[in-house]
């Protein structure tokens, strides 16, 4: 036994070695610094993937197979000893690991053994065949189990019955398969009846087993079995399964066996060993059932870890009133309150609790019913929580007064509960702040930042769409942006409902409480803009049909009219009629405490992308330390300004253009005054005009229609001529590829008067406030620079105008001039560019588009296909492509600092709010990330986690998996 | 004197040092390998530019000024000694250097002195003010000149008259200004008359001087002075200037002086020193006149070198029959034949020869007229050719039997002549092959590749002029430069017909196919410029009378109107009506020999971009060593195929699409058979389908119009429905940024059946030929890869289909699979991509667009502006942006080879035919460049020059300018 354990250890470590060799090889092909610091989880997932890719040829598999015969594939637990208590959950699965741990801790667990996840991977690699030697190891373990239980597998007199359960490294509740009561057949059934002296119990278990086996192992539809029972109950005129008699069961079992033969072509296997082998393989196969695949995709879990199989002695909660079964949590998983929480059923099997056919009792009642067992349960689970230092979600069975723990695992919880529990556990000195910070997935914080549906509220969902932007909102249904604005001005709360939104709707989206669209995905205009604004949005709600002209929408036969009140929940994608009560978010209490800790740990700054004083204030409330990107063009779209902007664009001469700009200046100045005020004392990075001018002009078809109408109406020449001029300019400004056209600094260079106006507005605003004693730190940012000379050109304009304004206003304002790095060439020549820049801000949206060669607008046609096919692991517009685009970020930072060591470097693309990208930015040495206001807390936590992860990586010696 | 020389030397070397420091600093900010190897010329140009940029602040200029007072600014030559004979042409200009060299070699040169180009640059840097100390140095030089000539500047008795001429480092014939007879005024005129005993000569010179000074220095229109003379001649009823009397001249001089006062507001300056100062500055200013700027732009000459000013004692060829003036070449500059070549006029001034007002005599006649002078001239020019090891273009004046050399410089020549001369000079052991190869600008080879009149063609010659620039051209007659440009933009081929051309016509000459003039000799403006441009030109065709205002010309009674087609043959001087057939050039004779030498030197391969068998054959004739890019989509546009392609695009199912593809396959296969045949034995790289599918569909507006018409015509539903389906698909396929859309391998991945069809066609074609014993080397290239998995995906398709076809056809075909590197990410992750590729081909068109972030289609709006403003030095679509895009080429090559050392790397963008880019590719270690067929010889020579330049760089020690 000792020798065996050693052997196993050796194997594992040599395997780990070969893994790490592969990983380091992979690393060498990438930028070193970053990859080297990837978390072990990511690494292992990646390595596993690579391994899989490498294993496509027959030869490799054969070599591997030879090895597996020597491999330890089965880990026994029972009688207070567990072979696997030093192994990790990646090998044993979460359930197997828990059982081993509990056994080792002398907690009563029905004995059994675990077949490792390695075996599952082998099974897949080996053309769905169990590896050689596995059967021997199982037989040996079974022999031990028989010894420890005093029963015998397949023995007609004293049959040992077992459960066969899946158990992957990550909990995937209900996704994979389980077979109970395995080992029963016509012979052993007799032994069971004799032993329990309960004929009905025996037959009940047997019929359950055949149906479960038929379904799980043989793939026969569950309903076919259910139908037999339903028919029997009808025939017998009874309602409950509990009313079925032994004879009923006998007849049902006959039918079940016939069904098995008809559907599978084989007799139901009576041989327990055959049952075991078939069930084991079925569990392996269930790893890749469609449910499981979908679940992993949704939860971003790796697809190649495989599942372990746990074979465990059956215990029964349905052996009378001294038997029971239940589930529970060591703390309240919804609120996080520290209370023993759970429910149970007397005289029932586990599936009865989960199935909800009988209403379970709250666990406190167990205290009265079985006080000593209750105490034992509280003691054990308390011990488990302390051992695992986390809330435990446990399953137990009481068989004739004896408590058995069947499972323990980290409990799933809501984000509010997760935060409360983490903070409480720090208070209880159970975990350290670091651990608390690592417990929350940053993106989950989003749930805490938006109004949410009151958990106590009761409501009906009438339609469900995509969770495009989180939070709940109620309001009157409205169908156009203009009406939304109007209603908003009248103090009404509205939900903007549209088939899909477009840039013309922005003012309406802004005025609305929330947005509901019937078309478009997670990256549709509505979704992207709503997220940016922090507005709840349900997008792509396909049941909804919008009839704008009739001012109503339908869901099936339901008609919702303009002015009707609805509630949408962007966190769940749900749409409800009427006003459902919501609760407002607050950054106080445990959440506030938690975020304070995050700030203690993080070293990278967090700014926000905000174009309005309102956004700026929200972001500041969420902890933003300045503005990383203020887009000035959004300020041009307001109706009173757009006309002047168009005047500027249509100008024939510089003088005309200047006149229009002079009109715009005061607007811009007041925008900046508002923003500077909201961010007083903090830096505000303002980008000069970026989009191509045609974005400010109407659509050509609209103008054509207008001209046609004017002509038809016999309007005068001048009016027609004006529209014709607009049309001509639209056609003149038309671009094949606007993304790669006349925009960014190219505008400011060809029309320096635009930059001049903007700088004048910024610096005037700053001077005004500065003279009132307010602290303002404007940072003027030039977009789309690809060549240092472009920056040089625009910097000259900025400095000239700024100095002039400051001199004239006799104010003291310190300003910085920097540039976006969003054109690949800027990153490649960052050493040149940095000579003219006080700061860099990586515009990773454009940088991604240009580096990867596809635009966000157009990539839809193949991006989903690419992700499905595994060509991309993630959407590169959501999470930074670290291997490609990341290289440019790194290069740009290094080269920039090589000539300008004080260069401040940030990121202001959508990636500034993505945890993985933030970790990358931290490792690359950026000074700050900038993200939309509602992502600020996410960024703060991500930034803290990046520091902690790095620290943990450093501390780790030899361990390749975290066991937390 | 010795001390001075030393001081000067020190200054120069320290200046050079500071330049090289700057250059190396600049280098450090770029990729080292490449920049470090730049030619010294490019480096100096670049450095100069940098210096200029740096000199924007007042402070720098002031510091500089202080320095210049100590600088040697004036170099004397005369009496067999020349201060500047060790200096280079960058300091003295070409003319100044030639004068110094000749003086040093005891060749009779009128003495004088040269003001350096440094002074010109100072003049510009110093707000158009001559630097301190210059006047002193000029005065000293003048004193020496007075001593050497025995005359005195401004002396009424024995006046020293001088010419003031520009002279830049690079010859810019006729672009800058000259003032002759300077020093004349009412007083010195008397001395001149007395000295020459020729009153008419004196007054003639005086009136010429006033007009020239008025025009060049004071900017008064030439024609105003001409008009006075014309009126005088009318009044006196005479035709020739030579018939004007002394009194006429006196009256003309009076008028001229009045014009000067009226137009300039000042009296004509009588003070010779003032004349000198003003003329000197005018020459400086002429460096930046519009003609000169255009010329430099056309010839890609740096704009910041400045010009030197040569002040030289006047000699006169118009002092009677023993005086003459002429120009000549040591070899025939049109054919390259080794013959003494030139023309002269007895009793004339230089300007008379150039202006073409009198038809000069061939130089052989001088042998009869003045045999000893002729012999002396042949001797001297022979010596000069040997000294400079190059054909000399010289100017001389014979003043009363005494020969003076006024200028010698490398003679401009046609490219055929240049090749012949270079090859001959190697034969004469005057120069080495390396030198011969360096003599030809690669792009000039283009001239050898254009059509000539088919010798079998029968045609009537309607007029004959001078063979000013060889080659044949047909086009419509056009009379003004602006119209030529306009016609050219409309895609029309035109012949520019003018009485004579002047520098204002350059843009029109560039736009025309050829030039025909009725006046002017072999050295007339038209002839010189046309040869430089490689345009056919027939000059001095005296039978032609041009009536520009009537838009026609006559030859005798024959009238040719604007828009009529004519053909000119610059090789024979012939003019024909209509379009005469022409034939393609061949690479034989000296040209063949020359190209063979280029191949001996070059190490990088040269392939061609060819989509048809015809192009492939042309390219092979020009020396292409395979196809580097065969675009398959061009094959889809033929009318019979486009319909099938559209069928494929409109297919609703994969089966429908497959059916259309099955129809296309035989077309594609036969295309490839043709191409493989044309390139037998050489590799053929074929790119799979690249453009977005909507490119194959009609324009949406067209289809809309069609539908409207069908509806209006009451066509049946089916017909309308078909068009509506097309329209729907067009709208469906519409992309915001097609450049960044669903194209390249993204098509092949989402529609693998397209790739399958193409591979099947390629490999079938290859197998067919292979079975006939032909050698074919297909290389299948996947476009637009940005991620190795894309290549993996497509490679799987290629290999699967190829192996299947080869197996089925039982043929032996070796094929390669590789990828374009045109997405920045592909270059950044080239180590990953290379693991799946046999070869890389840099698609630098797209790579430039994506790396710089602008599309070629849309950049027009700002690119010209950028180049004008100096933000870009060159159009990055013409010459590779080595600092930015070049980094990716380098990185891609290095990373690719790091995992696949046999990786074949080429380039197939437009840059593959650009000499500077080819040099870069050579230095980066690429295996080959691929360019359009007509650029193949250019690429071969560029590749050879790159090797030679590198060798020369290595040999160079301390020399920072080449003196060749």
């Amino acid at each position: 036994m000792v020798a065996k354990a050693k052997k196993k250890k050796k194997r594992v470590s040599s395997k780990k070695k070969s893994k790490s060799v592969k990983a380091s090889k992979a690393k060498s092909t990438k930028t070193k610094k970053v990859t080297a610091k990837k978390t072990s989880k990511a690494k292992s997932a990646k390595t596993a993937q690579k391994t899989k890719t490498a294993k496509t040829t027959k030869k490799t598999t054969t070599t591997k197979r030879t090895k597996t015969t020597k491999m330890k594939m089965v880990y026994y637990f029972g009688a207070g000893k567990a072979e696997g208590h030093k192994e990790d959950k990646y090998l044993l699965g979460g359930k197997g690991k828990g059982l081993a741990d509990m056994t080792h801790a002398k907690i009563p667990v029905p004995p059994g053994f675990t077949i490792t996840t390695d075996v599952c991977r082998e099974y897949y690699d080996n053309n769905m065949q169990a590896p050689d030697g596995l059967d021997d190891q199982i037989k040996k373990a079974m022999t031990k189990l028989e010894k420890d239980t005093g029963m015998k597998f397949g023995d007609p007199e004293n049959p040992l019955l077992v459960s066969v359960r899946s158990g992957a490294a990550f909990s995937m509740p209900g996704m994979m398969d389980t077979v109970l009561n395995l080992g029963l057949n016509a012979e052993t059934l007799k032994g069971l009846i004799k032993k329990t002296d309960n004929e009905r119990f025996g037959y009940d278990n047997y019929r359950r087993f055949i149906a479960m086996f038929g379904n799980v192992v043989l793939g026969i539809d569950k309903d076919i079995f259910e139908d037999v029972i339903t028919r029997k109950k009808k025939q017998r005129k009874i309602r409950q399964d509990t009313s079925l008699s032994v004879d009923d069961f006998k007849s049902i079992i006959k039918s079940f066996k016939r069904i098995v033969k008809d559907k599978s072509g084989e007799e139901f296997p009576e041989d327990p060993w055959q049952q075991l082998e078939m069930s084991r393989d079925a569990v392996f196969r269930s790893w890749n059932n469609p449910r499981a695949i979908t679940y992993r995709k949704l939860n971003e879990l790796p697809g190649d870890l495989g599942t372990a199989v746990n074979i465990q002695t059956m215990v029964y909660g349905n052996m009378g009133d001294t038997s029971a079964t239940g589930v529970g949590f060591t703390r309240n998983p919804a609120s996080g309150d520290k209370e023993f929480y759970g429910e149970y059923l007397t005289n029932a099997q586990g599936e009865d609790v989960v199935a909800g056919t009988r209403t379970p009792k709250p666990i406190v009642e167990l205290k009265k019913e079985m006080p000593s067992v209750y105490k034992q349960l509280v003691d054990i689970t308390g011990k488990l929580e302390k051992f695992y230092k986390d809330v435990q979600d446990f399953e137990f069975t009481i068989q004739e007064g004896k408590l058995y723990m069947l499972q323990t695992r980290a409990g799933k919880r809501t984000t509010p509960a997760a935060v409360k529990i983490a903070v409480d556990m720090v208070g209880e000195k159970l975990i350290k702040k670091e651990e608390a910070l690592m417990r929350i997935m940053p993106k989950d914080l989003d749930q805490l930042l938006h109004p949410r549906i009151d958990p106590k509220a009761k409501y009906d969902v009438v339609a469900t769409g995509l969770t495009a932007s989180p939070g709940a909102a109620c309001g009157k249904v409205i169908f156009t942006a203009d009406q939304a604005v109007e209603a908003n001005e009248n103090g009404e709360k509205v939900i903007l409902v549209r088939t899909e939104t477009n840039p013309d709707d922005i003012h309406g989206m802004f005025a609305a409480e929330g947005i509901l669209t019937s078309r478009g995905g997670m990256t549709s205009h509505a979704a992207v803009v709503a997220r940016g604004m922090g507005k709840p949005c349900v997008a792509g709600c396909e049941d909804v049909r919008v009839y704008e002209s009739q001012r109503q929408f339908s869901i099936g036969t339901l008609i919702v009219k303009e002015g009707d009140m609805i509630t949408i929940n962007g966190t769940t994608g749900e749409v409800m009629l009427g006003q459902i009560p919501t609760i407002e978010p607050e950054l106080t209490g445990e959440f506030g405490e938690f975020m304070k800790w995050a700030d203690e740990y993080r070293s990278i700054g967090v700014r926000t992308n905000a174009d309005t004083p309102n956004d700026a204030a929200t972001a500041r409330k969420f902890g933003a330390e300045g503005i990383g990107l203020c887009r000035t063009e959004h300020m041009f779209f307001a109706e009173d300004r757009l006309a002047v902007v168009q005047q500027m664009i249509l100008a024939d001469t510089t003088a005309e253009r200047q006149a229009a700009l002079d009109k715009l200046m005061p607007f811009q100045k007041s925008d900046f005054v508002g923003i500077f005020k909201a961010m007083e004392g903090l830096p505000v990075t303002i980008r000069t005009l970026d989009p191509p001018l045609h974005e400010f002009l109407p659509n050509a078809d609209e103008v054509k229609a207008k001209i046609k109408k004017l002509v038809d109406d016999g309007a005068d020449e001048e009016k027609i001529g004006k529209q014709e001029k607009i049309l001509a300019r639209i056609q003149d400004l038309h671009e094949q590829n606007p993304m790669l056209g006349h925009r960014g600094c190219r505008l400011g260079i060809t029309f320096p008067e635009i930059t001049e106006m903007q700088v004048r507005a910024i610096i005037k605003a700053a001077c005004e406030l500065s003279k009132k004693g307010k602290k303002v730190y404007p940072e003027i940012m030039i977009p789309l620079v690809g060549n240092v000379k472009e920056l040089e050109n625009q910097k000259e304009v900025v400095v000239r105008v700024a100095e002039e304004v400051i001199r004239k206003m006799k104010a003291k304002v310190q300003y910085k001039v920097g540039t976006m790095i969003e054109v690949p060439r800027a990153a490649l020549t960052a050493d040149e560019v940095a000579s003219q820049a006080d700061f860099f801000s990586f515009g990773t949206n454009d940088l991604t588009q240009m580096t990867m060669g596809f635009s966000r607008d157009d990539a839809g046609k193949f991006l989903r296909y690419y992700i499905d096919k595994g060509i991309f692991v993630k959407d590169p517009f959501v999470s930074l492509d670290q291997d490609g685009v990341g290289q440019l970020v790194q290069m740009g930072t290094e080269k920039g600092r090589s000539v300008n060591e004080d260069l401040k470097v940030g990121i202001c693309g959508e990636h500034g709010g993505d945890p993985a990208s933030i970790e990358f930015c931290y490792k690359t040495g950026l000074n700050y990330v900038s993200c939309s206001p509602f992502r600020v807390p996410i960024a703060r936590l991500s930034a803290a986690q990046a520091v902690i992860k790095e620290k943990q990586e450093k501390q780790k010696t030899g361990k390749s998996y975290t066991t937390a």
Side-chain angles (χ1 to χ4, degrees), chain A residues 906-951:
Chain A
I907 181 175
C908 64
E910 292 276 313
H911 305 101
D914 168 65
S917 310
I918 293 167
E919 189 180 339
F920 173 84
C921 291
Y922 163 69
K923 285 176 181 167
T924 309
L926 262 54
N927 299 88
Y928 68 86
V929 298
S930 187
C931 55
S932 60
F934 280 83
R935 294 219 148 223
V936 167
I938 296 171
R940 287 161 70 196
L941 178 56
S942 301
Q945 290 191 347
V947 176
I948 296 167
K949 275 185 200 168
E950 192 182 42
K951 200 174 144 191

Side-chain angles (χ1 to χ4, degrees), chain A residues 161-416:
Chain A
L161 302 183
V162 295
S163 62
V164 177
R165 290 177 212 248
S166 61
F170 300 100
S171 166
M172 297 164 58
M175 292 303 129
M176 289 184 303
D177 292 329
T178 295
V179 179
L180 300 178
N181 298 306
L182 188 137
L184 273 182
N185 56 24
E187 294 304 307
T188 55
L189 172 61
K190 287 176 198 156
L192 179 64
I193 293 170
K194 195 172 145 199
K195 239 173 62 173
T196 57
D197 196 17
N198 190 335
E199 198 177 18
R200 198 184 174 281
F201 170 78
Y203 280 102
D204 186 12
N205 281 341
Y206 193 33
R207 66 99 186 171
R208 283 177 194 255
F209 171 53
I210 298 169
M212 217 168 200
F213 188 93
N215 172 238
V216 168
V217 181
L218 305 173
I220 301 165
D221 196 334
K222 241 190 267 192
D223 296 342
I224 298 176
F225 297 109
E226 277 302 316
D227 287 350
V228 173
I229 292 170
T230 311
R231 275 200 306 274
K232 176 59 76 185
K233 284 194 283 190
K234 241 185 192 159
Q235 174 201 335
R236 294 259 287 104
K237 294 181 179 138
I238 53 176
R239 282 196 164 182
Q240 300 287 326
D241 286 10
T242 42
S243 310
L244 290 166
S245 69
V246 168
D247 281 344
D248 292 336
F249 282 140
K250 282 184 179 165
S251 133
I252 287 168
I253 287 165
K254 223 179 213 167
S255 304
F256 278 14
K257 287 197 171 174
R258 200 172 43 246
I259 290 169
V260 166
K261 194 178 173 193
D262 286 355
K263 295 286 170 185
S264 73
E266 305 272 346
E267 294 287 350
F268 177 78
E270 290 279 300
D271 175 9
W273 286 103
Q274 195 189 342
Q275 292 171 359
L276 182 63
E277 191 182 306
M278 288 172 80
S279 301
R280 175 197 71 196
D281 291 354
V283 171
F284 285 151
R285 285 196 303 271
S286 74
W287 170 256
N288 272 340
N289 73 35
R291 293 201 295 285
I293 290 173
T294 305
Y295 182 90
R296 287 195 296 267
K297 216 170 243 178
L298 287 174
N299 290 275
E300 290 184 19
L301 294 173
D304 48 6
L305 295 178
T307 181
V309 180
N310 297 289
I311 291 150
Q312 196 176 12
T313 312
M314 284 294 299
V315 288
Y316 295 96
N318 54 348
M319 290 183 75
D321 289 345
T322 56
S323 295
T325 190
V327 297
F329 287 84
T330 52
R331 307 193 184 208
N332 186 321
S335 67
D337 288 340
K338 196 175 177 183
E339 58 187 10
F340 197 60
Y341 181 95
E343 45 197 23
Y344 74 104
L345 278 170
T346 315
N347 195 14
Q349 279 208 338
E351 39 180 345
D352 300 325
V353 181
V354 179
T357 41
R358 281 162 65 192
T359 304
K361 296 178 264 187
I363 205 149
V364 283
E365 290 193 18
L366 189 64
K367 199 173 179 178
K368 282 178 256 165
E369 276 195 66
M370 307 181 200
S372 74
V373 171
Y374 178 79
K375 189 179 173 301
Q376 194 192 358
L377 184 62
V378 171
D379 281 356
I380 285 172
T381 56
K383 228 163 89 179
L384 286 171
E385 190 187 92
K386 280 217 174 72
F387 178 76
Y388 287 114
K389 301 182 197 300
D390 201 359
V391 178
Q392 294 302 300
D393 165 1
F394 52 85
E395 288 177 23
F396 64 94
T397 285
I398 303 164
Q399 180 176 315
E400 296 179 317
K402 183 166 163 43
L403 174 69
Y404 290 96
M405 298 302 294
L406 298 186
Q407 170 156 307
T408 190
R409 59 185 173 192
K412 301 247 174 239
R413 65 211 87 171
T414 64
T415 305

Side-chain angles (χ1 to χ4, degrees), chain A residues 22-76:
Chain A
K22 267 177 192 158
S24 75
K25 207 175 164 187
K27 247 183 282 170
S28 76
T29 67
K30 277 163 218 149
T31 324
K32 266 157 217 162
K33 196 176 157 200
V34 176
T35 321
K37 285 175 185 169
K38 273 183 181 156
T39 64
S40 69
K41 262 184 205 173
K43 200 192 282 175
S44 75
K46 205 160 185 180
T47 313
Q49 219 157 14
K50 286 208 182 247
T51 316
K52 202 180 171 186
T53 317
K55 275 184 217 154
T56 42
T57 62
K58 195 86 189 170
K59 205 179 165 190
T60 327
T61 317
T62 321
T63 324
K64 270 229 111 169
R65 279 208 80 181
T66 324
K67 264 190 213 157
T68 56
T69 52
K70 291 170 198 164
M71 182 165 105
K72 179 160 179 71
M73 295 180 268
V74 174
Y75 286 74
Y76 187 80

Side-chain angles (χ1 to χ4, degrees), chain A residues 594-615:
Chain A
F594 184 80
M595 291 313 300
K596 225 171 62 192
W597 297 347
D599 291 344
E600 284 168 19
Y601 274 87
R602 75 182 160 92
S603 57
I604 193 168
V606 176
R607 297 196 189 180
T608 192
N609 299 347
D611 308 337
T612 65
N614 201 24
D615 278 357

Side-chain angles (χ1 to χ4, degrees), chain A residues 614-796:
Chain A
N614 201 24
D615 278 357
T618 305
R620 194 164 190 168
K621 189 180 81 185
F622 288 154
E625 299 160 316
I627 290 183
L629 175 61
C630 171
R631 283 161 293 220
T632 52
E633 53 271 18
H634 289 188
M635 303 170 182
F636 284 178
F637 279 107
E639 214 172 331
D640 47 348
R641 305 173 181 193
L642 190 58
V644 189
V645 173
Q646 293 181 349
Q647 216 171 303
M648 170 192 89
I649 296 168
L650 295 170
D652 289 322
T653 65
T654 307
E656 268 184 58
R657 190 158 43 242
Q658 189 62 58
L661 287 165
D662 289 346
K663 277 192 241 171
L664 278 175
M665 208 280 287
F667 286 121
Q668 284 254 296
K669 199 199 71 183
S670 73
D671 293 329
F672 296 131
V673 166
I675 287 167
F676 286 141
K677 272 186 188 161
M679 278 289 163
E680 204 205 322
L682 296 175
V684 174
T685 308
I686 299 165
R687 181 176 72 182
T688 54
L689 196 67
D690 184 57
L693 296 182
H694 49 73
E695 284 198 9
F696 300 100
L697 294 180
N699 179 289
D701 286 339
E702 275 172 34
V703 181
K704 278 182 195 166
K706 217 178 225 172
I707 292 173
K708 192 174 177 305
K709 196 176 175 309
L710 285 172
V711 172
D712 290 350
D713 293 354
D716 63 44
E717 282 298 314
E718 204 191 316
K719 266 193 179 163
I720 297 170
K722 206 172 155 191
Q723 292 301 321
E724 274 172 346
K725 189 178 165 188
I726 294 174
L727 183 62
R729 186 55 59 100
I730 291 169
Q731 284 162 344
D732 183 44
L733 288 176
H734 173 76
E735 296 184 306
Q736 296 293 321
N737 296 281
M739 175 71 52
L740 304 176
H742 194 184
R743 53 177 283 245
C745 67
R746 297 161 196 166
L747 284 176
I749 290 170
T750 45
F751 304 113
E753 52 278 14
I754 298 179
T755 307
E756 282 169 11
M757 181 281 280
Q758 295 201 298
V759 174
R760 188 159 286 128
I762 294 165
I763 301 295
K764 272 197 172 179
C767 287
E768 270 184 28
L769 291 173
S770 162
K771 291 177 87 170
K772 289 179 190 162
K774 307 246 182 223
K775 287 191 175 155
V776 277
Y777 301 103
E779 305 187 331
I780 297 172
M781 180 157 72
I782 309 302
L784 216 71
V785 163
N787 186 314
V788 64
K789 287 186 190 158
E790 294 176 311
L791 180 56
E792 236 170 69
N793 175 300
Q794 289 291 281
K795 189 182 180 180
E796 185 278 327

